[in-house]
Amino acid sequence: MNTGFYPGCSLNGTSREYNESVRAVAAELGLKLTEIDDWNCCGATAAHSMSRELSVALPARVLALAERQGFDEVLVPCASCYNRLSVAAHELARDEELAAKVGAAVGMAYSGKVRIVNVLQYLQEHAAQLLPGKIRHNFAHRVACYYGCLLVRPHKVLGFDRLEDPQSMDGMMRAIGAEPIDWAFKTECCGAGLSVSRTDLVGKLSANILGDARDRGAEAVVVACPMCHSNLDMRRTAINKCLDEPTDIPVLYITQAIGLALGLSRKALGLQRHIVEVKLQ
Amino acid sequence: MEDKKRLSIKLAEDIGVDVSRCYQCGKCTAGCVLAPDMDIAPSFLMRLLQTGTEKADARVLGSTAIWLCLSCENCVARCPMEIDLPAIMDHLRELSRTGGRVNEKARPIVAFHKSFLDMVKHNGRTYEIGLVAEYKMRTMRLMQDVDIAPTMMAKGKLNIVPERLKDNGDKVGRIFANTIDKKD
Amino acid sequence: MSKIGVFICHCGENIGATVDCAKVAEAAASMEGVAFATDYKYMCSDPGQTLIKNAIREHRLDGVVVGACSPRMHEPTFRKACAEAGLNPYLCEIANLREHCSWVHPKGDDTTEKAIEIVHGLVEKVRRNSPLTPIHVPITKKALVIGGGIAGIQAALDIANCGHKVILVEKEPSIGGHMSQLSETFPTLDCSQCILTPRMVEVAQHPNITLYTYAELDSLSGFIGNFEAKIRLKAKSIDESLCTGCGLCTTKCPQKKIPSEFNAGLGRRTAIYVPFPQAVPNKPVIDKEHCTHYRTGKCGVCEKVCPTHAIRFGQEDRIINEQVGAVVVTTGFNVLGTDFFPEYGYGRYADVITGLQFERLASASGPTLGEIRRPSDGKVPEKVVFIACCGSRDPAKGIPYCSKICCMYTAKHAMLYQHKVHGGESYVFYMDIRAGGKNYEEFVRRAIEEDHVNYVRGRVARIYEKEGKLIVKGVDTLLGATPVEIEADMVVLATAGVSNQGSEELAQKLHISYDPYKFFAEAHPKLRPVETNTAGIFVAGACQAPKDIPETVATASGAAAKVAALFSQPDLVREPLVAVVNRSAPPVFSTCVGCFMCQTACPYQAIEREEIKDRSGKVIKVVAKVNPGLCQGCGTCVAFCRSKSIDLQGFSNQQMFAEVEALLETTN
Amino acid sequence: MSNDNNSAFEPRIIAFVCNWCTYAGADLTGTSRIKYATNVRIVRFPCTGRIDFLLLLKAFASGADGIIVSGCHPNDCHYTSGNFHARRRWMVFRSLLDTLGIDTRRIRYSWVSAAEGAKWADLVNDTVATIRELGPYNEYKKVADYLGKEAGDE
């Protein structure tokens, strides 16, 4: 299996700890990841808010590159990129006219051969069987697994996990000794698309999420999406304004939690980069 | 001529969504995290599209709701008729922008998207400092987020210089020229 | 030279607006063998039929083609008219110009041309029709009713009261069906059990009714008037002749934690059990799946305590044969599981329940003795949310149709809750209120105006639990689509009514049609609502589609009337559309070579061997012979016959070849 | 392509259907006012089990460009097993037709129940499109004409 790695812009910028922790966990488990050469931005929310063609064309270039570079699958840790790449692949396969236009715009065709996997799928398929022997100490904490919207929806396109009350992340957390809680905001949107332009709304939506996790006794929120992470971690001032009582609940990437269980250093996992300090071991 | 065409017809032709299938159960609104903050809640927006009047169409294109929609897809996931509301929102945004109907209050959102795409156009990837700088210039919200930027810088979350593709983004620039910036 | 009459019906605008009927009649007039052709506004009307009759007499017609609606609609009407004018009814054929032409094509020359060709095909066919006489067969005047809910009970009683024998088969240990589970009934709020149980007892005591509970239909063969049913009597593990129904066994059975079907999972029952105290028959059965003795060979407590030694662990299923003349299918419906709505709680939250479960909570015979207490902790809920259309009108996750009964029972539930819990608050989330029916709308208004149930127009997006409350996130679409959030103590889902498990298999056993939702199909949705396409098999109640009690009872009585009408005839007159093996003069006798391929193909064992003997009694030849009493006219034997010696009356080779040729002729 | 002016070509399709399922299904198409191509002519049989395959040859000889045979779904036959017999006979017959050089793409075998009005319309439209693509069935007509002439000469 030749797995390509598409970090996307966030993992090279604001969320570089996600990048670091994905690579660190993969390396620790002996899994090889090769970054797609010369990749470009997927366009994210902005592109599909402004132009359908552009929103398909940007991911199409990435997919065409991956295909040319001989990858069977591409790991896309960023949930937003994962969503955009998956939707674009779906649109290209479904709409011949669009595929032709996009192919011409990009200057490369994509034939649909590359499988797009998110970090949870990747971990389940490649890492889960390797974990038992490698865990140094259990990540024995009550955690709220937060999937957000982009990993599970649109379900017909992504076909990943259960639409309401997904379980894959909960399963991974149990595997490293954590106790995932049953809570109500697993797949509710945190408002990432408006993070900069309507911080007020993002504060409110993210406050609902953190408030519920805290109220139900979670010690940390675990995420698999850099948008969710930067909202829940960096927008804490705005969030706390919307909560009756401010919260300092930390927000971890799933790979950071696994990394801790594998005994990797906090620095290797980029934990020092968080705005809200992570004290959990 | 083209612009006089009713939105419902455009939606059917352009993206294949039939607004008459909506029977106004409101489940989209009930599950929408931003419905309370929208000037037109999703199901109400569907109703306006169904009426097919010029006034209703203008109200939809000039709404803030279409710009607030986060594309979280909760609505379509639960819609009993599986009406692709996020796709409708995407298309309405495109029509609103190209038709010059963007609501005053939604300008910062559009500005952000534009700034974001400009970064991508010129570099092939996003570049947060450049993005925020451009966004601030567009919106004149100069003081926004000045509190967290230094922290982010210190934590190594911001790149000082933009990452670029091998050819300085020419390939990606071409994609823009052939899609969103296409003149026809 | 034949003298065919062609009659083109406009069917008002239905055919006339699309097909140029005058032109069709004109074209027909010039067809070979046609002596008379005309068109008329409504051919099925009295003047229309008179027109046909007069033409038959006046022009001495020897064949008739009526171009009208589907023969499935009015073939009997026009054949009867022909017979009244002295023409053999089987010399009349129907050209389907409505369903197969005017309704499916636009107005234009092509459509009129098609109509002409259809008529031409049938003119050529009818030229080769032979006069036929109906066949008389005896009727077994005993009915089989499958399903012992209110529909089956009503049908069985009505038929039995007409003086005919009835066999009632019920798969559960007791008759009563869903109605026995209901608390009060809309719109009168009378107690369901109080009006049902006397009927159940009447069934058990009726001299004309044989009741088999814990029994299922194994197979059905034969045809109208002459069916043979094999019925499987599932082992009850008791000797019913000895059991007195004292109930000691059920109190002593150590398996006490089995979810009770009768209480929709809200109560518990034992492994040897009577489903409910008013059950008919009031004798227990052993549920082999849960019984310790059947699972491990141990226990046997019931056997030890039974004062009459009626327990029979070794008992096996028994199959009995019954000859019946008619069958009424009344197998009822089922409710959709809540797991269809993950966003409403997956069955994760104990206090999110179905409407049927609420019936049990509200019923005096239920697990809470009629007090509304929520399942999780037994507390009286202070705020209850009722959600209509759970699965109904939901093509994405549920079913596209409207379940019809939910609007009414939800109003009833909310009303019962308000009556039982003073100061309680109730909300109904609905899309439309469908309260068509006698006193139905008034009933809903009462719930809103007098019992102050809060009706909110909109669907609920999701429900989650927080600090012991169920957070219901809905919307009020009448307030310009405003999101609404309610902290409820209990939520009741009006889950969709769906077809019963096994309905598809049953339909296949009975050879009756069913719709895409596996509800049984009636022969005609308006004019033959309790008949099926298979003669002698009738349907009633919610096995056709979700129905309320009055409608269920009405269809059951309707089906019973159909059975009684059938049984009122001395014998059965059947269409002579049966196969025949040709006969000719000696020495050939028949072109049949006696290969009996037809015998293997015939699904009805209608083909016999006939020995042709000479005067001395020596067998010269063995040929096939069709028993017209058994033959159903499928014609499979005709296609199988290698020597073309067997033919189907009404659909003979000559007729069909001529029709096909004529349909295509105009192009050549 | 066997024909140059396919655009003007209107295929002649004949449909052999059973009375209980497909005929009723086609009635439902009408009751539901679903529109379909006018090219089809329906012949009613009690059951697909009745359909003698010589009738198919007769239809081609009489000028049909395509044929639909449609009855009840498996297990739903009004006469228990007529549709199975028809199906089995079709399997054998098809290879025979192939050997004889008859274009079996022109015979469409399907199941349409009494509840599938829309499916009937789709089946007809789809068959019309297929046959339009294949063009008129001139080959068979030529043979039939030739045989007819031979027979007439005798």
Side-chain angles (χ1 to χ4, degrees):
Chain A
M1 179 68 68
N2 193 358
T3 306
F5 182 58
Y6 176 66
C9 309
S10 296
L11 272 74
N12 274 17
T14 44
S15 307
R16 60 183 61 219
E17 64 271 33
Y18 193 16
N19 197 336
E20 289 159 352
S21 61
V22 169
R23 288 176 190 272
V25 167
E28 177 67 16
L29 296 173
L31 300 168
K32 193 175 159 229
L33 288 174
T34 317
E35 188 166 325
I36 297 174
D37 188 36
D38 203 34
W39 57 265
N40 56 275
C41 170
C42 73
T45 314
H48 77 87
S49 291
M50 306 288 267
S51 156
R52 175 166 180 246
E53 276 179 38
L54 180 67
S55 76
V56 176
L58 289 171
R61 181 175 180 271
V62 176
L63 291 167
L65 284 176
E67 199 168 65
R68 282 191 171 190
Q69 291 166 24
F71 296 113
D72 307 306
E73 63 176 20
V74 179
L75 166 61
V76 189
C78 168
S80 179
C81 300
Y82 162 72
N83 190 289
R84 291 326 303 169
L85 260 58
S86 301
V87 169
H90 178 82
E91 292 288 297
L92 288 170
R94 189 182 65 110
D95 188 341
E96 276 177 38
E97 201 184 320
L98 178 74
K101 271 191 206 164
V102 164
V106 176
M108 274 190 285
Y110 171 60
S111 70
K113 289 205 191 87
V114 181
R115 187 167 168 253
I116 303 154
V117 294
N118 63 44
V119 81
L120 297 175
Q121 280 168 316
Y122 180 78
L123 291 171
Q124 270 182 337
E125 287 165 22
H126 299 282
Q129 70 272 26
L130 304 172
L131 276 179
K134 298 263 189 179
I135 291 177
R136 296 273 184 82
H137 57 266
N138 276 342
F139 187 70
H141 301 287
R142 282 169 64 80
V143 295
C145 294
Y146 177 59
Y147 296 74
C149 22
L150 299 161
L151 279 177
V152 286
R153 291 188 294 262
H155 200 250
K156 283 210 166 134
V157 174
L158 305 177
F160 169 67
D161 209 328
R162 302 199 302 205
L163 175 58
E164 309 272 352
D165 192 24
Q167 287 295 328
S168 50
M169 199 192 297
D170 296 62
M172 293 301 302
M173 284 299 105
R174 277 189 205 99
I176 58 167
E179 185 195 334
I181 62 160
D182 184 19
W183 65 309
F185 285 84
K186 269 185 171 178
T187 59
E188 292 287 280
C189 186
C190 65
L194 301 172
S195 187
V196 176
S197 49
R198 287 298 301 270
T199 314
D200 54 330
L201 294 177
V202 172
K204 189 181 91 173
L205 300 183
S206 299
N208 289 339
I209 293 160
L210 291 187
D212 192 57
R214 175 196 62 189
D215 294 349
R216 291 176 198 252
E219 296 166 67
V221 173
V222 181
V223 300
C225 168
M227 308 290 136
C228 302
H229 189 272
S230 38
N231 263 347
L232 299 177
D233 185 48
M234 279 168 20
R235 297 276 171 215
R236 196 57 66 94
T237 321
I239 291 169
N240 279 338
K241 268 185 209 154
C242 300
L243 285 171
D244 41 5
E245 238 177 89
T247 177
D248 58 355
I249 188 170
V251 183
L252 274 76
Y253 286 104
I254 181 169
T255 39
Q256 292 177 317
I258 293 173
L260 285 173
L262 293 173
L264 300 177
S265 78
R266 301 175 71 81
K267 183 139 188 277
L269 299 169
L271 284 165
Q272 80 286 1
R273 297 189 194 276
H274 288 214
I275 306 285
V276 178
E277 195 186 346
V278 183
K279 293 173 190 152
L280 303 179
Q281 293 294 324
Chain B
M1 267 301 281
E2 184 69 10
D3 279 332
K4 289 255 169 89
K5 215 184 244 180
R6 278 161 31 191
L7 277 181
S8 54
I9 295 171
K10 277 193 207 173
L11 288 166
E13 285 174 357
D14 299 350
I15 57 167
V17 179
D18 177 2
V19 298
S20 71
R21 295 184 73 241
C22 171
Y23 54 29
Q24 286 294 306
C25 74
K27 203 172 180 181
C28 48
T29 301
C32 177
V33 289
L34 281 182
D37 301 285
M38 289 178 172
D39 53 350
I40 305 173
S43 58
F44 190 33
L45 183 135
M46 289 301 294
R47 181 68 199 131
L48 285 171
L49 291 174
Q50 285 178 336
T51 62
T53 60
E54 210 174 305
K55 216 171 140 190
D57 281 2
R59 208 171 146 193
V60 166
L61 288 183
S63 70
T64 56
I66 58 173
W67 294 102
L68 283 187
C69 168
L70 289 155
S71 304
C72 81
E73 311 244 357
N74 242 338
C75 46
V76 61
R78 290 173 183 155
C79 175
M81 302 304 282
E82 293 177 286
I83 299 166
D84 198 342
L85 204 45
I88 293 179
M89 293 293 197
D90 275 351
H91 200 58
L92 290 175
R93 284 191 278 255
E94 202 166 331
L95 293 174
S96 170
R97 186 178 57 80
T98 52
R101 310 276 198 101
V102 179
N103 185 299
E104 195 72 36
K105 285 187 203 146
R107 298 263 155 89
I109 300 170
V110 184
F112 178 78
H113 291 327
K114 277 193 181 152
S115 312
F116 184 98
L117 292 179
D118 271 357
M119 286 303 114
V120 179
K121 179 156 59 174
H122 296 124
N123 302 309
R125 296 181 189 170
T126 45
Y127 163 48
E128 288 89 354
I129 292 181
L131 164 61
V132 171
E134 189 182 328
Y135 168 71
K136 289 185 177 190
M137 291 310 289
R138 279 183 194 264
T139 58
M140 297 310 286
R141 290 185 175 182
L142 300 176
M143 295 312 287
Q144 185 178 330
D145 291 334
V146 286
D147 50 341
I148 60 169
T151 324
M152 287 175 69
M153 195 78 87
K155 303 233 175 214
K157 279 176 172 275
L158 293 176
N159 291 321
I160 311 292
V161 273
E163 281 194 12
R164 283 218 168 109
L165 268 62
K166 287 179 185 163
D167 58 353
N168 289 335
D170 280 0
K171 290 177 220 134
V172 173
R174 179 193 146 158
I175 294 177
F176 275 77
N178 285 328
T179 55
I180 191 169
D181 297 341
K182 193 168 42 182
K183 303 262 184 320
D184 52 8
Chain C
M1 184 64 193
S2 45
K3 298 178 83 169
I4 311 291
V6 177
F7 303 89
I8 307 299
C9 175
H10 293 233
C11 195
E13 293 274 283
N14 283 307
I15 299 172
T18 318
V19 170
D20 184 345
C21 293
K23 196 175 166 194
V24 176
E26 197 186 305
S30 64
M31 287 173 194
E32 201 184 333
V34 173
F36 178 79
T38 188
D39 58 307
Y40 184 69
K41 199 96 188 158
Y42 290 106
M43 210 56 93
C44 61
S45 68
D46 200 44
Q49 291 190 39
T50 309
L51 190 154
I52 296 175
K53 287 183 215 170
N54 289 342
I56 292 171
R57 293 192 192 103
E58 199 177 314
H59 300 275
R60 297 172 184 280
L61 299 177
D62 58 6
V64 163
V65 172
V66 186
C69 52
S70 172
R72 296 164 50 81
M73 186 83 191
H74 275 315
E75 191 178 72
T77 313
F78 292 118
R79 286 192 165 170
K80 192 161 155 274
C82 289
E84 281 164 12
L87 183 71
N88 184 288
Y90 298 95
L91 300 176
C92 168
E93 294 281 353
I94 311 297
N96 189 340
L97 302 188
R98 194 178 74 178
E99 282 83 346
H100 289 188
C101 193
S102 69
W103 275 353
V104 290
H105 304 312
K107 183 180 176 153
D109 292 343
D110 283 355
T111 306
T112 299
E113 187 55 36
K114 177 173 175 177
I116 294 169
E117 289 179 28
I118 295 173
V119 169
H120 188 212
L122 285 153
V123 165
E124 284 301 316
K125 186 185 179 199
V126 91
R127 287 176 73 190
R128 289 158 182 82
N129 278 18
S130 319
L132 301 172
T133 35
I135 299 163
H136 292 260
V137 284
I139 307 174
T140 308
K141 293 182 181 177
K142 190 199 270 184
L144 170 68
V145 177
I146 307 169
I150 181 58
I153 290 171
Q154 183 71 32
L157 286 173
D158 285 349
I159 298 168
N161 287 336
C162 288
H164 302 297
K165 296 283 181 197
V166 178
I167 293 159
L168 177 58
V169 174
E170 166 57 49
K171 73 171 180 204
E172 297 297 329
S174 169
I175 57 170
H178 281 308
M179 188 175 166
S180 65
Q181 293 175 281
L182 307 184
S183 52
E184 267 92 51
T185 55
F186 60 79
T188 47
L189 287 190
D190 43 6
C191 151
S192 185
Q193 289 256 356
C194 311
I195 53 177
L196 177 68
T197 43
R199 295 276 171 112
M200 290 163 63
V201 174
E202 205 183 329
V203 164
Q205 293 173 348
H206 204 293
N208 280 344
I209 299 178
T210 309
L211 175 61
Y212 295 121
T213 54
Y214 218 45
E216 280 173 54
L217 181 78
D218 221 46
S219 67
L220 186 82
S221 56
F223 55 93
I224 179 170
N226 300 274
F227 292 108
E228 182 177 325
K230 287 193 195 309
I231 299 162
R232 175 180 296 273
L233 306 181
K234 290 181 280 185
K236 294 181 174 177
S237 307
I238 61 154
D239 183 335
E240 282 180 285
S241 62
L242 295 176
C243 174
T244 60
C246 73
L248 191 58
C249 52
T250 61
T251 58
K252 300 288 181 199
C253 177
Q255 285 289 349
K256 295 190 191 300
K257 293 263 165 86
I258 306 159
S260 153
E261 294 84 358
F262 180 72
N263 281 324
L266 289 183
R268 301 280 173 266
R269 65 160 170 85
T270 46
I272 185 164
Y273 73 110
V274 178
F276 52 104
Q278 300 76 22
V280 171
N282 207 332
K283 289 177 183 178
V285 299
I286 296 180
D287 166 8
K288 289 186 180 178
E289 203 189 318
H290 293 101
C291 168
T292 316
H293 182 82
Y294 277 104
R295 286 168 56 191
T296 65
K298 298 193 183 97
C299 189
V301 169
C302 49
E303 194 178 26
K304 282 171 213 134
V305 300
C306 178
T308 59
H309 306 290
I311 305 293
R312 295 284 178 277
F313 282 124
Q315 206 176 65
E316 282 180 5
D317 290 5
R318 223 155 40 91
I319 308 265
I320 55 163
N321 287 341
E322 290 280 1
Q323 308 294 325
V324 294
V327 181
V328 183
V329 188
T330 52
T331 47
F333 74 111
N334 203 354
V335 287
L336 197 65
T338 44
D339 51 353
F340 269 77
F341 323 101
E343 62 267 42
Y344 292 170
Y346 267 116
R348 284 198 291 165
Y349 307 131
D351 297 328
V352 177
I353 62 172
T354 67
L356 195 57
Q357 289 176 318
F358 187 86
E359 293 284 350
R360 297 313 303 146
L361 286 185
S363 170
S365 69
T368 56
L369 303 175
E371 279 188 57
I372 307 293
R373 294 184 174 279
R374 63 183 202 172
S376 64
D377 54 10
K379 276 195 196 132
V380 175
E382 287 165 22
K383 206 182 273 186
V384 180
V385 169
F386 296 88
I387 306 177
C389 292
C390 285
S392 304
R393 305 173 69 192
D394 185 342
K397 291 201 192 73
I399 41 149
Y401 58 83
C402 162
S403 292
K404 194 172 185 181
I405 53 174
C406 324
C407 283
M408 290 308 297
Y409 79 61
T410 297
K412 178 191 77 180
H413 287 170
M415 209 186 244
L416 289 177
Y417 169 73
Q418 294 293 1
H419 292 177
K420 285 172 187 258
V421 181
H422 296 289
E425 233 181 296
S426 59
Y427 291 84
V428 174
F429 281 95
Y430 72 100
M431 291 204 293
D432 298 290
I433 304 174
R434 296 184 170 170
K438 207 169 177 175
N439 292 320
Y440 284 13
E441 173 64 13
E442 295 90 322
F443 182 80
V444 176
R445 292 313 310 167
R446 235 169 71 205
I448 296 169
E449 292 166 19
E450 290 174 25
D451 295 309
H452 305 295
V453 178
N454 298 297
Y455 268 69
V456 184
R457 198 208 168 278
R459 256 188 165 140
V460 169
R462 73 175 185 127
I463 298 167
Y464 60 90
E465 190 251 308
K466 187 147 195 182
E467 288 154 14
K469 295 277 184 193
L470 291 164
I471 314 296
V472 179
K473 293 190 82 90
V475 62
D476 190 333
T477 56
L478 299 180
L479 286 178
T482 307
V484 174
E485 190 175 298
I486 294 172
E487 291 184 8
D489 299 304
M490 188 165 87
V491 177
V492 184
L493 308 180
T495 44
V498 295
S499 58
N500 229 331
Q501 301 101 314
S503 56
E504 193 174 8
E505 292 76 15
L506 182 62
Q508 289 171 355
K509 277 180 196 166
L510 298 169
H511 302 296
I512 59 174
S513 316
Y514 50 92
D515 69 17
Y517 314 115
K518 317 256 190 292
F519 283 115
F520 302 138
E522 41 288 283
H524 189 279
K526 293 189 234 0
L527 300 177
R528 297 171 69 195
V530 295
E531 289 161 83
T532 65
N533 271 330
T534 302
I537 300 185
F538 305 93
V539 285
C543 63
Q544 296 179 270
K547 285 190 169 78
D548 59 19
I549 296 168
E551 205 185 350
T552 297
V553 172
T555 50
S557 287
K562 287 280 169 190
V563 172
L566 174 67
F567 288 177
S568 71
Q569 301 165 51
D571 57 9
L572 193 68
V573 183
R574 286 195 36 233
E575 292 252 48
L577 304 177
V578 293
V580 284
V581 181
N582 67 28
R583 286 288 183 273
S584 53
V588 180
F589 299 105
S590 169
T591 57
C592 172
V593 295
C595 73
F596 291 102
M597 282 282 282
C598 50
Q599 211 175 30
T600 56
C602 178
Y604 301 99
Q605 290 81 45
I607 294 176
E608 297 160 1
R609 300 168 79 93
E610 187 187 25
E611 294 178 342
I612 294 171
K613 295 171 184 165
D614 64 8
R615 283 196 188 142
S616 64
K618 203 179 119 204
V619 176
I620 306 170
K621 196 171 181 182
V622 182
V623 296
K625 186 186 171 206
V626 177
N627 177 340
L630 294 174
C631 175
Q632 295 298 297
C634 67
T636 305
C637 54
V638 180
F640 263 77
C641 182
R642 295 184 294 186
S643 61
K644 296 281 155 258
S645 306
I646 198 161
D647 215 339
L648 182 63
Q649 298 191 140
F651 293 94
S652 71
N653 278 329
Q654 222 196 355
Q655 289 172 296
M656 301 323 289
F657 274 80
E659 184 181 345
V660 168
E661 202 170 5
L663 279 173
L664 291 158
E665 201 171 273
T666 37
T667 47
N668 292 354
Chain D
M1 280 285 101
S2 47
N3 193 24
D4 299 330
N5 53 342
N6 269 358
S7 55
F9 165 57
E10 281 303 330
R12 304 280 296 174
I13 314 280
I14 198 136
F16 297 115
V17 306
C18 82
N19 180 47
W20 304 98
C21 290
T22 306
Y23 195 90
D27 275 1
L28 180 64
T29 319
T31 321
S32 319
R33 309 296 199 277
I34 302 167
K35 301 282 181 272
Y36 59 84
T38 53
N39 307 53
V40 73
R41 301 290 176 270
I42 297 171
V43 186
R44 177 164 72 130
F45 286 86
C47 177
T48 48
R50 163 69 184 86
I51 298 163
D52 194 325
F53 283 98
L54 286 175
L55 272 165
L56 272 59
L57 297 182
K58 178 70 182 176
F60 280 140
S62 305
D65 302 301
I67 294 175
I68 294 170
V69 179
S70 179
C72 307
H73 285 261
N75 293 326
D76 291 359
C77 178
H78 180 76
Y79 301 105
T80 316
S81 53
N83 59 350
F84 279 123
H85 286 305
R87 185 86 192 161
R88 247 174 269 158
R89 221 166 31 240
W90 166 234
M91 297 297 191
V92 177
F93 193 71
R94 183 166 51 189
S95 48
L96 188 68
L97 290 179
D98 271 336
T99 319
L100 290 173
I102 286 167
D103 189 348
T104 48
R105 288 174 301 174
R106 292 178 182 274
I107 306 176
R108 183 72 175 271
Y109 208 102
S110 183
W111 296 304
V112 174
S113 83
E116 295 174 325
K119 186 178 173 191
W120 171 252
D122 290 345
L123 175 65
V124 171
N125 288 337
D126 200 46
T127 309
V128 170
T130 311
I131 303 298
R132 204 187 292 279
E133 191 82 0
L134 291 171
Y137 201 13
N138 292 328
E139 293 86 344
Y140 197 89
K141 276 170 213 157
K142 272 182 215 150
V143 176
D145 286 349
Y146 175 74
L147 290 174
K149 214 189 278 166
E150 287 277 287
D153 288 347
E154 274 170 25

